[in-house]
Amino acid sequence: MTELLLTGTIKMRLIFLATIGAALLGCAAARLSHDVKAYVGRDIHELYARLGNPTGKLETTGDRVYVWSISSEGVMPKGTGAEGTITVQRDCTLEVTISAENIIRSYQVEGSDAGCAAFRRQLSR
């Protein structure tokens, strides 16, 4: 019976942590999205001035899409005890679609809170 309770407790902790992690990912994208929203309708060069040159560029059916991407690894403790550490990936990608006149039309953000933090710092300077 103790093994069953322990297993159930561990499962509940994992479900809770996964739920919190998913919520944080959504928050990160939402926070960076809020910061980038102010640039819609403005010249792409204003965003360059904050973020630097994009890491990539795509051409899709006449639209130009500029991509800024960050990826890094970090180490986190596995738990509250002496279980060791795990390696975590921190990613963030910002895709900005512009018009022929270099005006920002739309954008999309994907990534983790830690990954998007660098972009948010650059935009808040």
Side-chain angles (χ1 to χ4, degrees):
M1 183 71 169
T2 304
E3 287 180 19
L4 184 57
L5 282 175
L6 183 59
T7 303
T9 302
I10 291 172
K11 284 181 185 177
M12 290 303 291
R13 282 179 75 190
L14 290 174
I15 291 170
F16 175 75
L17 291 173
T19 303
I20 294 297
L24 288 175
L25 286 176
C27 289
R31 287 187 291 220
L32 181 58
S33 181
H34 180 294
D35 294 344
V36 174
K37 185 177 184 177
Y39 289 87
V40 173
R42 293 164 61 179
D43 192 285
I44 188 68
H45 294 96
E46 293 182 42
L47 202 54
Y48 283 170
R50 295 292 187 165
L51 299 178
N53 289 329
T55 55
K57 179 181 172 184
L58 307 168
E59 297 281 340
T60 60
T61 60
D63 289 333
R64 284 182 289 163
V65 179
Y66 290 99
V67 180
W68 283 266
S69 186
I70 289 178
S71 182
S72 64
E73 286 186 353
V75 177
M76 290 180 53
K78 278 188 180 178
T80 57
E83 292 98 4
T85 60
I86 57 172
T87 301
V88 293
Q89 189 69 27
R90 296 183 289 239
D91 300 310
C92 189
T93 301
L94 169 62
E95 295 181 356
V96 178
T97 303
I98 65 167
S99 69
E101 296 80 26
N102 291 325
I103 302 300
I104 297 172
R105 292 186 7 207
S106 63
Y107 62 92
Q108 181 175 343
V109 177
E110 290 183 19
S112 67
D113 191 32
C116 292
F119 288 145
R120 293 193 70 229
R121 280 191 302 273
Q122 290 172 307
L123 289 175
S124 67
R125 292 187 285 153

